[in-house]
Amino acid sequence: MVRNLLYLMLSPLLLVQGLYVRKVTPRLPEAAGVRRGETGVGPPLRLLILGDSAAAGVGVESQQQALAGQLAQRLAGSFRLSWQLWAANGQTSSQCLQLLELKTPEPFDAVLVSLGVNDLTGGLPLNAWLRRQSLLAERLRGTFSARHVLFTPLPPMHHFPALPQPLRWVLGERANQFNRGLQALVDACPHCHLLAFELPMRAEFIASDGFHPGAEAYALWAGQAAAVIERLMADSRRSVESRP
């Protein structure tokens, strides 16, 4: 209650700061390069990377440096990987749901989701955001037969150098609320998972806009995701092999 009152008192300043940040922050392009491919040897793995500017590789020049390229490279050592990237700069959860409606249904073994920052900065309430994440998981599990849906937590926005105070603090507090809600949603959703990923806020991990990941951060993210996907696929194989 006290926190909501504080947010309300700060709202005129937060609005001015938000408009200023949008005006002065460089708008970096999405990473260039292919957005689908097949690579590697081993058991088959069908992977979808879905979401916003971070999923699209904003902050680095090529998809090889971005999440998709680095994740594909890591998984290719263990799987015959077929991967796709469906992501766009500025994409919200609502827009992502609309995108899925336009796609021809096809099955995926794992879907890695990166969404939330644009919803948060756009003022979407927590409960509305969680409903959309639940619907997203339901659609991926149903229409696209996704065996596992991996959500990425929102980044530590209270450390973003591009954000002035108190906007930085407020967005960081809301990001933490979103992540706590997302953890509760995942706990109640079969075959949904939340990555234990936190972006180190050192200069080498941040892109030139002070907002997006750099190549080092994408490498860390890809490594965390690859480890979880490998474990989930190994668990699935053991489950199948143990059946009478």
Side-chain angles (χ1 to χ4, degrees):
M1 184 69 177
V2 174
R3 183 172 294 171
N4 290 337
L5 180 60
L6 181 59
Y7 290 169
L8 182 62
M9 293 173 60
L10 289 172
S11 58
L13 175 59
L14 299 175
L15 176 61
V16 171
Q17 288 187 328
L19 292 173
Y20 172 79
V21 169
R22 288 181 183 275
K23 181 178 180 180
V24 302
T25 301
R27 187 171 175 83
L28 301 179
E30 298 176 4
V34 297
R35 294 195 168 208
R36 62 189 304 153
E38 296 185 4
T39 184
V41 294
L45 174 65
R46 299 160 300 185
L47 172 69
L48 172 64
I49 301 164
L50 179 69
D52 53 18
S53 57
V58 171
V60 294
E61 293 183 358
S62 74
Q63 290 295 341
Q64 289 300 312
Q65 300 170 294
L67 173 65
Q70 298 210 49
L71 181 54
Q73 183 179 20
R74 290 174 183 269
L75 292 174
S78 303
F79 301 96
R80 187 170 73 254
L81 177 68
S82 173
W83 65 273
Q84 297 186 52
L85 171 62
W86 301 347
N89 200 349
Q91 186 156 254
T92 64
S93 296
S94 178
Q95 291 169 334
C96 196
L97 286 166
Q98 294 172 13
L99 172 68
L100 292 181
E101 291 181 357
L102 300 175
K103 294 290 187 178
T104 301
E106 58 180 295
F108 293 101
D109 296 301
V111 180
L112 177 58
V113 179
S114 170
L115 285 169
V117 170
N118 297 310
D119 296 300
L120 187 153
T121 58
L124 185 68
L126 172 61
N127 287 340
W129 184 72
L130 290 174
R131 285 195 297 271
R132 292 176 190 181
Q133 305 321 295
S134 180
L135 182 57
L136 184 71
E138 180 182 323
R139 189 161 297 168
L140 288 170
R141 290 276 297 149
T143 306
F144 293 88
S145 303
R147 295 170 62 189
H148 299 283
V149 180
L150 287 72
F151 288 97
T152 303
L154 274 71
M157 300 185 71
H158 55 290
H159 290 311
F160 275 21
L163 300 174
Q165 297 287 15
L167 179 64
R168 185 191 304 181
W169 174 78
V170 170
L171 292 181
E173 287 292 298
R174 291 203 66 215
N176 288 335
Q177 291 176 350
F178 273 44
N179 284 336
R180 288 192 293 270
L182 185 58
Q183 181 66 70
L185 184 151
V186 164
D187 289 343
C189 175
H191 305 285
C192 293
H193 316 270
L194 183 62
L195 290 182
F197 168 72
E198 185 170 340
L199 177 66
M201 298 307 294
R202 300 196 299 271
E204 65 268 28
F205 287 89
I206 308 299
S208 60
D209 63 355
F211 201 84
H212 285 93
E216 294 287 340
Y218 282 124
L220 179 63
W221 187 0
Q224 296 259 356
V228 173
I229 292 171
E230 288 171 352
R231 175 178 58 80
L232 291 171
M233 294 300 103
D235 290 347
S236 296
R237 287 197 299 272
R238 281 193 293 268
S239 177
V240 171
E241 290 169 356
S242 64
R243 291 175 186 171

